[in-house]
Amino acid sequence: PILPPECESCGARVLTSDTIFEQKRLPESMLVHGMSVLGAEMAQAFARLGVRVHAVADSETIGGLSDPEVSASALDALR
């Protein structure tokens, strides 16, 4: 995983797909940066476990979906 430079100062509070499953407790809330297939999966999984999840992405699509209607439907399902 690549950490954006603005996240480097957050230290151990920043988790990646390599470290997220090492946690002993669920966080109260989390921010998922990037809504690739993996980001969307992590966001959904933690939301289903009761974590308040916020997501940000550089793209207006989710999971690399190219069909705008399908992408909009997926975003609606995650809201």
Side-chain angles (χ1 to χ4, degrees):
I2 299 171
L3 281 180
E6 57 270 13
C7 294
E8 291 175 2
S9 64
C10 296
R13 292 178 33 196
V14 175
L15 303 174
T16 68
S17 57
D18 291 341
T19 61
I20 191 72
F21 297 110
E22 297 171 0
Q23 305 308 301
K24 304 252 188 267
R25 295 181 291 128
L26 289 172
E28 187 175 311
S29 65
M30 67 188 307
L31 174 83
V32 176
H33 183 270
M35 289 306 287
S36 64
V37 172
L38 183 58
E41 185 176 17
M42 292 295 114
Q44 181 186 34
F46 279 90
R48 288 178 180 239
L49 291 169
V51 176
R52 189 174 60 243
V53 177
H54 304 275
V56 295
D58 296 330
S59 172
E60 293 189 22
T61 64
I62 184 170
L65 296 170
S66 59
D67 184 309
E69 192 173 320
V70 174
S71 184
S73 179
L75 285 171
D76 288 341
L78 292 174
R79 288 189 179 135

